[in-house]
Amino acid sequence: MEWALRSAEQADVEVIAELRATVMRPDLERLGRFDERRVRRRLRESFSPGHTSVVIVDGDFAGCVTLRPAEDGLWLEHFYLVPDLQGRGLGSAVLRALLDRTDTDGLPVRLNVLQGSAARRLYERHGFTVEVQDPIDVFMVRRPGAG
């Protein structure tokens, strides 16, 4: 599968908000936390086009990922792929490319994933380990060169 990343633009916010709602709905419903408006609003309020990349496959929008600087390294956020492309290696390829860059810079990467989400296995395969968790979220970290 041929893919590329391009810098996000403010105009991408609505398609990304819709993707977030679609992708997160099953896990949020399972946890009793899905709210049709809130799931989109949270993306709109935290959208940072300067730190977000859009995933393109065969010229079409396929997803997004944010890698935001923080005091203690980087935060991986808003990593969503359209459902038809999930489970086909695209997520691993995108994540590997991002982590190669963070390893070069010697920076740890943190993220949080919902309890019970299949995405946790993807992150664990790439060297992320659990730092702390609660009934809703699992907070993970990946040290440079892990995985």
Side-chain angles (χ1 to χ4, degrees):
M1 177 180 320
E2 293 293 319
W3 64 273
L5 295 177
R6 72 158 170 83
S7 297
E9 302 169 357
Q10 189 61 42
D12 295 314
V13 69
E14 290 307 317
V15 70
I16 292 172
E18 287 305 312
L19 178 60
R20 180 180 196 269
T22 298
V23 170
M24 292 190 67
R25 184 178 194 133
D27 285 330
L28 289 171
E29 284 180 339
R30 179 180 43 76
L31 294 167
R33 311 272 302 183
F34 184 75
D35 179 296
E36 194 76 44
R37 290 185 185 102
R38 184 172 185 250
V39 70
R40 290 169 179 84
R41 185 182 69 237
R42 288 193 63 182
L43 183 282
R44 289 179 191 117
E45 290 173 353
S46 65
F47 185 62
S48 174
H51 301 295
T52 301
S53 297
V54 170
V55 181
I56 303 295
V57 172
D58 297 329
D60 295 323
F61 174 85
C64 63
V65 61
T66 299
L67 202 53
R68 179 180 53 81
E71 286 183 26
D72 56 353
L74 298 165
W75 274 90
L76 181 74
E77 302 171 320
H78 306 304
F79 189 16
Y80 313 119
L81 297 175
V82 296
D84 291 349
L85 295 174
Q86 293 176 11
R88 297 175 51 194
L90 178 60
S92 284
V94 171
L95 188 55
R96 191 171 26 259
L98 293 173
L99 294 175
D100 285 348
R101 282 193 263 157
T102 63
D103 284 350
T104 298
D105 295 337
L107 296 171
V109 179
R110 288 184 166 74
L111 59 82
N112 71 295
V113 63
L114 292 171
Q115 285 284 5
S117 172
R120 179 175 172 174
R121 289 188 304 277
L122 169 70
Y123 299 131
E124 289 173 337
R125 284 195 309 269
H126 288 274
F128 285 86
T129 58
V130 174
E131 277 192 307
V132 66
Q133 55 188 317
D134 62 34
I136 304 296
D137 293 300
V138 179
F139 293 86
M140 304 180 83
V141 65
R142 182 184 180 278
R143 305 284 174 209

